[in-house]
Amino acid sequence: MISGSTRRAWIAASAAAALVLTLGACGGGGGGGGGGDASSIVIDTTFDIKTADPAREYEPTGQIVVKALYDTLLTFAEGDITTPIPDLAASYTYNDDLTEFTFTLAEGRVFNDGSPVTADDVVFSFQRLQGLKGNPSFLVDGITVEKVDDSTVKMTTAESSPALPAILATPSTGIVSQALVTANGGTTDEADAAEDFLNATSAGSGPYIFEKFDMQTEVVLLKNPKYNGPQKPSYERVILRNTEPPTQKMNVERGDSQVALGLSGDQVTSLADGVELESVPSATVVFLFANNNPAISELTANPDTVRAIKAAIDYPGLLEIAGEGAGQATSLIPTQFLGTLPQEEAMTRDLETAKELAAAAGIVGKSITLSFPNDIDPTGLQMTTVAERVQAQLAEADITVDLAPAPFGTEIDAYRNGEEVIGLWYWNPDYLDPANYLAFGPGQTVGLRAGWPEDANAAISDLVAQGYTTGDHDARKALFEEWGRKMNAESPFIPLLQPSSNIAYQPSVTGVSYNPVWLINVAALGAK
């Protein structure tokens, strides 16, 4: 094993110790309010949940629930998604080419029935995640998992995988009890029949267990009395309620709930005095692209057209319609991630240059179609409103676009097939690593949707290849920053903004922190 990986394992173990101390300082006790006794907390959100089976779950509310029920090998500290830290794995090492990762399990960790967490459980959990072929199975495609001994697991990948540690923090990779799941219909293939059981009973080692699971109305979690991990959950009982945003606002203002997760930027501007607010840019990136394929449009395939559009956008002006907490996307990599660009490097408007480039491209007096889904509102932001503002801004640079809204279900095929001339879309991270965004590179999944083949930009293609294989933390940071700069300057993509994520809460609640994948970690919430 290389010395760098050993150092990383030591750093990770130290970070875990710091995390324990930090969370322990949050204190115990309850939050009060209308949720019941002082040891309960009520969280209102709009439900998007289909299952509590970690190997099948991949919806926002489901991520909150599964994060509470199941531990993962690695996790992230609250407020920091740049460096994975230990959870069920006390440490890990990797080989020179990042194709072999060896995880040493923390001593003494147990499932909620008191049985020990072993390497067999880890292997079974990952083989089940792969074999079910559910929504999150792609996370572990191409990974071979094997037991070294009772407390050691090795994962092997066919190609370098520096993003694997971050992937292993995703709730869907939660470790289940092999004995409990197999006794209730669990297998490692599509014959698995354990979902109904896992929708009623937790088979994990996480800080909470089920009291109630109703995908339509309410999920109630109880503190796991056998939990012995690094989290220090304060609340004995967590109640997640399916509530529409206007009612969420009213409930949190009068104390009938302690946390509201679904308020829009407009709603939080009128919160009653005394309600606290965590309002930050979400990790959702709203972007434009101009199709580079001349068979789709000779106009947008001209680099001057793309440069003109980039120079014509009034990026701060877009934030006016995005509401409290939104931010400009400095690159396609969100501002919370390793390798994002600082604000001073974000793209800026230059209207005169935009007009000159538009004239040089021959698009003045011609119209270009801008397509977008009009029935989707990422984190409360209306895509139609964004499209109309972009249309008006481009008109100021003598660039005429005709809006072509369509339902998501209709437009998604044209987008995926690379048929849109100009597209307005958004990207949510699948896992907490900048490698997730290499899909926008030439010849990659999203790059091809913009008609951008692999040989279109050799320098950026080289950075993409390095992004998939570079493991050193500092080297990755510099590499992804350079990738972001070149993408801003030379790609057909225009990152616009990150809509806000708003968490309103009673002042009695502590430990509130937004996470791009699981939104909020209920085990980190405490009380004053």
Side-chain angles (χ1 to χ4, degrees), residues 453-474:
E454 187 173 2
D455 60 0
N457 191 303
I460 295 180
S461 289
D462 183 58
L463 289 172
V464 169
Q466 292 181 56
Y468 282 127
T469 58
T470 301
D472 179 78
H473 182 276
D474 292 340

Tab-separated table of all heavy atoms in Angstrom, residues 453-474:
chain	number	residue	atom	x	y	z
A	453	PRO	N	-18.447	15.750	-28.915
A	453	PRO	CA	-17.740	14.469	-28.944
A	453	PRO	C	-16.390	14.533	-28.232
A	453	PRO	O	-15.872	15.611	-27.944
A	453	PRO	CB	-17.562	14.211	-30.438
A	453	PRO	CG	-17.528	15.577	-31.047
A	453	PRO	CD	-18.464	16.418	-30.227
A	454	GLU	N	-15.840	13.360	-27.971
A	454	GLU	CA	-14.601	13.281	-27.186
A	454	GLU	C	-13.440	14.018	-27.832
A	454	GLU	O	-12.595	14.596	-27.143
A	454	GLU	CB	-14.225	11.812	-26.965
A	454	GLU	CG	-13.050	11.617	-26.014
A	454	GLU	CD	-12.799	10.172	-25.677
A	454	GLU	OE1	-13.513	9.300	-26.203
A	454	GLU	OE2	-11.883	9.894	-24.885
A	455	ASP	N	-13.384	14.038	-29.156
A	455	ASP	CA	-12.257	14.688	-29.831
A	455	ASP	C	-12.467	16.190	-30.036
A	455	ASP	O	-11.660	16.850	-30.694
A	455	ASP	CB	-11.984	14.009	-31.171
A	455	ASP	CG	-13.174	14.061	-32.125
A	455	ASP	OD1	-14.226	14.631	-31.743
A	455	ASP	OD2	-13.069	13.535	-33.249
A	456	ALA	N	-13.529	16.730	-29.446
A	456	ALA	CA	-13.832	18.150	-29.641
A	456	ALA	C	-12.863	19.060	-28.888
A	456	ALA	O	-12.633	20.201	-29.302
A	456	ALA	CB	-15.263	18.455	-29.211
A	457	ASN	N	-12.316	18.581	-27.779
A	457	ASN	CA	-11.408	19.406	-26.975
A	457	ASN	C	-10.439	18.477	-26.263
A	457	ASN	O	-10.748	17.918	-25.212
A	457	ASN	CB	-12.200	20.250	-25.976
A	457	ASN	CG	-11.339	21.320	-25.312
A	457	ASN	OD1	-10.324	21.026	-24.703
A	457	ASN	ND2	-11.768	22.572	-25.412
A	458	ALA	N	-9.257	18.315	-26.834
A	458	ALA	CA	-8.276	17.359	-26.323
A	458	ALA	C	-7.823	17.712	-24.908
A	458	ALA	O	-7.625	16.818	-24.066
A	458	ALA	CB	-7.075	17.287	-27.263
A	459	ALA	N	-7.658	18.997	-24.619
A	459	ALA	CA	-7.167	19.404	-23.304
A	459	ALA	C	-8.173	19.052	-22.209
A	459	ALA	O	-7.802	18.547	-21.140
A	459	ALA	CB	-6.869	20.902	-23.287
A	460	ILE	N	-9.459	19.312	-22.472
A	460	ILE	CA	-10.471	18.988	-21.469
A	460	ILE	C	-10.655	17.481	-21.367
A	460	ILE	O	-10.824	16.942	-20.267
A	460	ILE	CB	-11.799	19.702	-21.792
A	460	ILE	CG1	-11.627	21.221	-21.673
A	460	ILE	CG2	-12.916	19.226	-20.856
A	460	ILE	CD1	-12.871	22.032	-21.976
A	461	SER	N	-10.583	16.763	-22.479
A	461	SER	CA	-10.666	15.302	-22.428
A	461	SER	C	-9.544	14.718	-21.588
A	461	SER	O	-9.746	13.753	-20.838
A	461	SER	CB	-10.618	14.713	-23.848
A	461	SER	OG	-11.807	14.977	-24.551
A	462	ASP	N	-8.375	15.307	-21.674
A	462	ASP	CA	-7.245	14.848	-20.850
A	462	ASP	C	-7.513	15.102	-19.371
A	462	ASP	O	-7.217	14.255	-18.517
A	462	ASP	CB	-5.966	15.557	-21.284
A	462	ASP	CG	-4.747	15.072	-20.504
A	462	ASP	OD1	-4.459	13.857	-20.541
A	462	ASP	OD2	-4.090	15.901	-19.852
A	463	LEU	N	-8.091	16.256	-19.058
A	463	LEU	CA	-8.435	16.543	-17.653
A	463	LEU	C	-9.504	15.584	-17.143
A	463	LEU	O	-9.475	15.175	-15.979
A	463	LEU	CB	-8.915	17.993	-17.516
A	463	LEU	CG	-7.858	19.081	-17.678
A	463	LEU	CD1	-8.511	20.460	-17.712
A	463	LEU	CD2	-6.832	19.013	-16.548
A	464	VAL	N	-10.455	15.216	-17.999
A	464	VAL	CA	-11.474	14.235	-17.616
A	464	VAL	C	-10.806	12.912	-17.255
A	464	VAL	O	-11.112	12.295	-16.222
A	464	VAL	CB	-12.504	14.035	-18.742
A	464	VAL	CG1	-13.397	12.830	-18.453
A	464	VAL	CG2	-13.357	15.285	-18.908
A	465	ALA	N	-9.887	12.455	-18.102
A	465	ALA	CA	-9.188	11.202	-17.835
A	465	ALA	C	-8.425	11.267	-16.513
A	465	ALA	O	-8.438	10.312	-15.724
A	465	ALA	CB	-8.239	10.883	-18.989
A	466	GLN	N	-7.779	12.389	-16.252
A	466	GLN	CA	-7.058	12.549	-14.985
A	466	GLN	C	-8.030	12.590	-13.808
A	466	GLN	O	-7.735	12.079	-12.727
A	466	GLN	CB	-6.238	13.830	-15.018
A	466	GLN	CG	-5.078	13.822	-15.984
A	466	GLN	CD	-4.312	15.129	-15.933
A	466	GLN	OE1	-3.841	15.556	-14.882
A	466	GLN	NE2	-4.209	15.799	-17.076
A	467	GLY	N	-9.196	13.192	-14.018
A	467	GLY	CA	-10.177	13.278	-12.942
A	467	GLY	C	-10.679	11.924	-12.499
A	467	GLY	O	-11.015	11.729	-11.324
A	468	TYR	N	-10.715	10.982	-13.429
A	468	TYR	CA	-11.168	9.633	-13.097
A	468	TYR	C	-10.079	8.790	-12.438
A	468	TYR	O	-10.366	7.705	-11.939
A	468	TYR	CB	-11.657	8.922	-14.361
A	468	TYR	CG	-13.042	9.328	-14.808
A	468	TYR	CD1	-13.278	9.760	-16.117
A	468	TYR	CD2	-14.126	9.275	-13.939
A	468	TYR	CE1	-14.554	10.120	-16.537
A	468	TYR	CE2	-15.399	9.639	-14.358
A	468	TYR	CZ	-15.609	10.060	-15.654
A	468	TYR	OH	-16.875	10.416	-16.059
A	469	THR	N	-8.824	9.280	-12.434
A	469	THR	CA	-7.727	8.438	-11.948
A	469	THR	C	-6.862	9.065	-10.861
A	469	THR	O	-6.078	8.365	-10.228
A	469	THR	CB	-6.814	8.044	-13.121
A	469	THR	OG1	-6.309	9.228	-13.762
A	469	THR	CG2	-7.568	7.215	-14.147
A	470	THR	N	-6.986	10.367	-10.626
A	470	THR	CA	-6.142	11.042	-9.628
A	470	THR	C	-6.719	10.859	-8.235
A	470	THR	O	-7.908	11.141	-8.008
A	470	THR	CB	-6.010	12.542	-9.962
A	470	THR	OG1	-5.428	12.679	-11.258
A	470	THR	CG2	-5.134	13.252	-8.930
A	471	GLY	N	-5.873	10.410	-7.296
A	471	GLY	CA	-6.366	10.118	-5.957
A	471	GLY	C	-5.972	11.116	-4.888
A	471	GLY	O	-6.705	11.306	-3.921
A	472	ASP	N	-4.831	11.757	-5.017
A	472	ASP	CA	-4.365	12.681	-3.985
A	472	ASP	C	-5.333	13.851	-3.824
A	472	ASP	O	-5.758	14.467	-4.818
A	472	ASP	CB	-2.971	13.201	-4.346
A	472	ASP	CG	-2.446	14.191	-3.324
A	472	ASP	OD1	-1.993	13.743	-2.255
A	472	ASP	OD2	-2.519	15.403	-3.592
A	473	HIS	N	-5.673	14.175	-2.576
A	473	HIS	CA	-6.682	15.195	-2.283
A	473	HIS	C	-6.315	16.544	-2.882
A	473	HIS	O	-7.118	17.180	-3.590
A	473	HIS	CB	-6.848	15.302	-0.766
A	473	HIS	CG	-7.895	16.285	-0.326
A	473	HIS	ND1	-7.642	17.633	-0.204
A	473	HIS	CD2	-9.194	16.119	0.015
A	473	HIS	CE1	-8.741	18.258	0.198
A	473	HIS	NE2	-9.686	17.363	0.350
A	474	ASP	N	-5.097	17.017	-2.625
A	474	ASP	CA	-4.694	18.338	-3.113
A	474	ASP	C	-4.590	18.365	-4.632
A	474	ASP	O	-4.955	19.356	-5.274
A	474	ASP	CB	-3.359	18.747	-2.478
A	474	ASP	CG	-3.486	19.009	-0.984
A	474	ASP	OD1	-4.617	19.245	-0.520
A	474	ASP	OD2	-2.460	18.965	-0.280
